[in-house]
Amino acid sequence: GPRVEAPVHCICAPSAFLDLTGKDHWDLLLRRTALDGQCYVIAPDIAFDSADATPLHGRAAVIDPFGTVLAQCNAQGDGIAIADLSVSRVAEVRAKLPLTLWNE
């Protein structure tokens, strides 16, 4: 995973969930990915297009390594989610929750 073999500070997770499940799961899965990887998650919304025959769900968001939503846009329309990222925040979360120790 992103915290053991090659630790990263940020993961990009472009959106493209079916609208049916995305409404309930998109935000939850972004926060879970950030917590599991103990890194930031940048989620650009590439899904929304009102002309699509199959409605998709997604919203631009920035999640911190503890799963806190730092910035988020609406699920429809255009927007920009902006947040400051900090390598020291990644180190702080990894020190508080040393998940890599579970592999030893």
Side-chain angles (χ1 to χ4, degrees):
R3 66 173 186 259
V4 179
E5 287 104 28
V8 299
H9 295 115
C10 183
I11 293 174
C12 185
S15 62
F17 264 59
L18 290 176
D19 193 50
L20 178 68
T21 58
K23 290 177 186 176
D24 294 322
H25 299 141
W26 177 244
D27 297 338
L28 173 68
L29 291 174
L30 289 178
R31 295 180 70 213
R32 182 253 179 210
T33 300
L35 265 172
D36 186 49
Q38 294 181 311
C39 60
Y40 287 95
V41 173
I42 309 299
D45 179 8
I46 61 167
F48 182 74
D49 184 345
S50 59
D52 280 346
T54 302
L56 297 175
H57 179 85
R59 66 172 87 204
V62 180
I63 316 296
D64 91 344
F66 199 69
T68 303
V69 177
L70 300 178
Q72 189 171 57
C73 295
N74 292 326
Q76 296 183 344
D78 295 326
I80 299 173
I82 299 173
D84 291 324
L85 308 186
S86 166
V87 173
S88 62
R89 176 66 173 153
V90 174
E92 175 189 344
V93 169
R94 290 178 180 172
K96 286 182 181 177
L97 300 169
L99 300 179
T100 56
L101 296 178
W102 293 358
N103 289 334
E104 295 177 359

